[in-house]
Short mmCIF file of all heavy atoms in Angstrom, two decimals:
data_model
loop_
_atom_site.label_atom_id
_atom_site.label_comp_id
_atom_site.label_asym_id
_atom_site.label_seq_id
_atom_site.Cartn_x
_atom_site.Cartn_y
_atom_site.Cartn_z
N LEU N 53 140.60 106.90 93.03
CA LEU N 53 141.29 107.69 94.06
C LEU N 53 141.70 106.82 95.24
O LEU N 53 142.77 106.98 95.81
CB LEU N 53 140.40 108.84 94.54
CG LEU N 53 140.22 109.98 93.55
CD1 LEU N 53 139.18 110.96 94.06
CD2 LEU N 53 141.54 110.69 93.32
N ARG N 54 140.82 105.88 95.58
CA ARG N 54 141.13 104.98 96.69
C ARG N 54 142.36 104.14 96.37
O ARG N 54 143.21 103.91 97.22
CB ARG N 54 139.92 104.08 96.96
CG ARG N 54 139.71 103.85 98.43
CD ARG N 54 138.34 103.32 98.78
NE ARG N 54 137.85 102.31 97.87
CZ ARG N 54 136.61 102.30 97.40
NH1 ARG N 54 135.76 103.22 97.76
NH2 ARG N 54 136.22 101.35 96.59
N ASP N 55 142.44 103.71 95.11
CA ASP N 55 143.60 102.93 94.70
C ASP N 55 144.87 103.76 94.75
O ASP N 55 145.95 103.24 95.00
CB ASP N 55 143.40 102.41 93.27
CG ASP N 55 142.34 101.33 93.21
OD1 ASP N 55 141.97 100.82 94.29
OD2 ASP N 55 141.87 101.00 92.10
N ALA N 56 144.73 105.06 94.49
CA ALA N 56 145.91 105.91 94.36
C ALA N 56 146.43 106.44 95.68
O ALA N 56 147.57 106.83 95.79
CB ALA N 56 145.59 107.08 93.43
N LYS N 57 145.56 106.43 96.71
CA LYS N 57 146.04 107.03 97.96
C LYS N 57 146.62 105.96 98.89
O LYS N 57 146.33 104.77 98.72
CB LYS N 57 144.91 107.83 98.62
CG LYS N 57 143.84 107.04 99.29
CD LYS N 57 142.82 108.02 99.86
CE LYS N 57 141.78 107.27 100.66
NZ LYS N 57 140.68 108.12 101.08
N PRO N 58 147.42 106.40 99.86
CA PRO N 58 148.04 105.42 100.76
C PRO N 58 146.98 104.65 101.55
O PRO N 58 145.87 105.14 101.76
CB PRO N 58 148.87 106.29 101.71
CG PRO N 58 148.96 107.62 101.08
CD PRO N 58 147.81 107.76 100.17
N SER N 59 147.35 103.46 102.01
CA SER N 59 146.43 102.64 102.81
C SER N 59 146.10 103.35 104.13
O SER N 59 146.90 104.15 104.62
CB SER N 59 147.11 101.31 103.10
OG SER N 59 146.61 100.76 104.28
N ILE N 60 144.96 103.03 104.71
CA ILE N 60 144.61 103.65 106.00
C ILE N 60 145.58 103.23 107.10
O ILE N 60 145.66 103.85 108.14
CB ILE N 60 143.17 103.30 106.46
CG1 ILE N 60 142.92 101.79 106.38
CG2 ILE N 60 142.12 104.07 105.68
CD1 ILE N 60 141.64 101.36 107.08
N PHE N 61 146.36 102.15 106.84
CA PHE N 61 147.35 101.72 107.83
C PHE N 61 148.63 102.55 107.74
O PHE N 61 149.46 102.52 108.64
CB PHE N 61 147.66 100.24 107.67
CG PHE N 61 146.45 99.38 107.92
CD1 PHE N 61 145.88 98.65 106.88
CD2 PHE N 61 145.88 99.32 109.18
CE1 PHE N 61 144.77 97.88 107.10
CE2 PHE N 61 144.76 98.55 109.40
CZ PHE N 61 144.19 97.82 108.36
N ASP N 62 148.81 103.26 106.59
CA ASP N 62 150.01 104.08 106.41
C ASP N 62 149.68 105.53 106.74
O ASP N 62 149.65 106.39 105.87
CB ASP N 62 150.49 104.03 104.95
CG ASP N 62 150.95 102.65 104.58
OD1 ASP N 62 151.35 101.91 105.48
OD2 ASP N 62 150.88 102.32 103.37
N THR N 63 149.40 105.84 107.98
CA THR N 63 148.92 107.18 108.29
C THR N 63 149.95 108.26 107.99
O THR N 63 149.60 109.36 107.60
CB THR N 63 148.49 107.30 109.76
OG1 THR N 63 149.48 106.67 110.53
CG2 THR N 63 147.14 106.68 110.01
N GLU N 64 151.25 107.94 108.18
CA GLU N 64 152.26 108.98 108.01
C GLU N 64 153.11 108.76 106.76
O GLU N 64 153.88 109.63 106.38
CB GLU N 64 153.19 109.02 109.24
CG GLU N 64 152.50 109.36 110.55
CD GLU N 64 151.88 110.75 110.55
OE1 GLU N 64 152.42 111.64 109.84
OE2 GLU N 64 150.84 110.94 111.22
N GLU N 65 152.96 107.58 106.16
CA GLU N 65 153.86 107.27 105.04
C GLU N 65 153.19 107.54 103.70
O GLU N 65 151.98 107.56 103.60
CB GLU N 65 154.27 105.78 105.11
CG GLU N 65 155.10 105.47 106.34
CD GLU N 65 155.06 103.99 106.67
OE1 GLU N 65 155.49 103.19 105.82
OE2 GLU N 65 154.56 103.63 107.75
N HIS N 66 154.01 107.66 102.71
CA HIS N 66 153.58 107.79 101.30
C HIS N 66 152.60 108.93 101.09
O HIS N 66 151.83 108.90 100.16
CB HIS N 66 152.93 106.49 100.81
CG HIS N 66 153.79 105.28 101.01
ND1 HIS N 66 155.06 105.18 100.47
CD2 HIS N 66 153.57 104.13 101.69
CE1 HIS N 66 155.58 104.03 100.83
NE2 HIS N 66 154.72 103.37 101.57
N LEU N 67 152.63 109.93 101.94
CA LEU N 67 151.70 111.03 101.76
C LEU N 67 151.99 111.80 100.47
O LEU N 67 151.13 112.52 99.96
CB LEU N 67 151.72 111.98 102.96
CG LEU N 67 151.14 111.38 104.24
CD1 LEU N 67 151.20 112.37 105.39
CD2 LEU N 67 149.70 110.92 104.02
N GLU N 68 153.22 111.61 99.97
CA GLU N 68 153.59 112.30 98.72
C GLU N 68 152.71 111.83 97.55
O GLU N 68 152.54 112.54 96.57
CB GLU N 68 155.08 112.11 98.41
CG GLU N 68 155.51 110.71 97.98
CD GLU N 68 155.73 109.74 99.15
OE1 GLU N 68 155.41 110.10 100.30
OE2 GLU N 68 156.20 108.62 98.91
N TYR N 69 152.11 110.63 97.67
CA TYR N 69 151.22 110.15 96.60
C TYR N 69 150.12 111.16 96.33
O TYR N 69 149.66 111.33 95.22
CB TYR N 69 150.52 108.83 96.99
CG TYR N 69 151.41 107.62 97.10
CD1 TYR N 69 150.89 106.42 97.55
CD2 TYR N 69 152.76 107.67 96.75
CE1 TYR N 69 151.66 105.29 97.67
CE2 TYR N 69 153.55 106.54 96.87
CZ TYR N 69 153.02 105.36 97.34
OH TYR N 69 153.78 104.26 97.46
N LEU N 70 149.68 111.81 97.38
CA LEU N 70 148.52 112.70 97.27
C LEU N 70 148.79 113.94 96.44
O LEU N 70 147.87 114.60 95.98
CB LEU N 70 148.05 113.12 98.67
CG LEU N 70 147.50 112.00 99.56
CD1 LEU N 70 147.20 112.53 100.94
CD2 LEU N 70 146.24 111.41 98.95
N SER N 71 150.11 114.26 96.26
CA SER N 71 150.38 115.46 95.48
C SER N 71 150.52 115.17 93.98
O SER N 71 150.73 116.07 93.19
CB SER N 71 151.61 116.18 96.03
OG SER N 71 152.65 115.25 96.08
N ASN N 72 150.41 113.90 93.59
CA ASN N 72 150.37 113.57 92.15
C ASN N 72 149.14 114.19 91.53
O ASN N 72 148.13 114.39 92.20
CB ASN N 72 150.30 112.05 91.95
CG ASN N 72 151.63 111.39 92.28
OD1 ASN N 72 152.68 112.01 92.13
ND2 ASN N 72 151.56 110.16 92.74
N THR N 73 149.19 114.44 90.24
CA THR N 73 148.00 115.01 89.59
C THR N 73 147.10 113.88 89.09
O THR N 73 147.53 112.75 88.90
CB THR N 73 148.37 115.92 88.41
OG1 THR N 73 149.01 115.11 87.43
CG2 THR N 73 149.26 117.06 88.84
N VAL N 74 145.83 114.25 88.86
CA VAL N 74 144.85 113.25 88.43
C VAL N 74 145.17 112.70 87.04
O VAL N 74 144.72 111.63 86.67
CB VAL N 74 143.41 113.80 88.45
CG1 VAL N 74 142.98 114.09 89.86
CG2 VAL N 74 143.29 115.03 87.57
N SER N 75 146.01 113.44 86.27
CA SER N 75 146.32 112.99 84.91
C SER N 75 146.95 111.60 84.94
O SER N 75 146.84 110.84 83.99
CB SER N 75 147.26 113.98 84.25
OG SER N 75 148.50 113.99 84.94
N GLU N 76 147.59 111.27 86.07
CA GLU N 76 148.29 109.99 86.12
C GLU N 76 147.34 108.81 86.35
O GLU N 76 147.71 107.67 86.12
CB GLU N 76 149.34 110.03 87.23
CG GLU N 76 150.41 111.07 86.93
CD GLU N 76 151.57 110.98 87.89
OE1 GLU N 76 151.93 109.84 88.27
OE2 GLU N 76 152.09 112.03 88.26
#
Side-chain angles (χ1 to χ4, degrees):
Chain N
L53 287 173
R54 218 163 41 224
D55 289 346
K57 75 180 185 188
S59 153
I60 50 168
F61 297 113
D62 295 334
T63 44
E64 298 297 330
E65 295 159 61
H66 307 302
L67 291 180
E68 70 279 8
Y69 292 175
L70 295 174
S71 54
N72 288 331
T73 64
V74 293
S75 65
E76 297 190 37

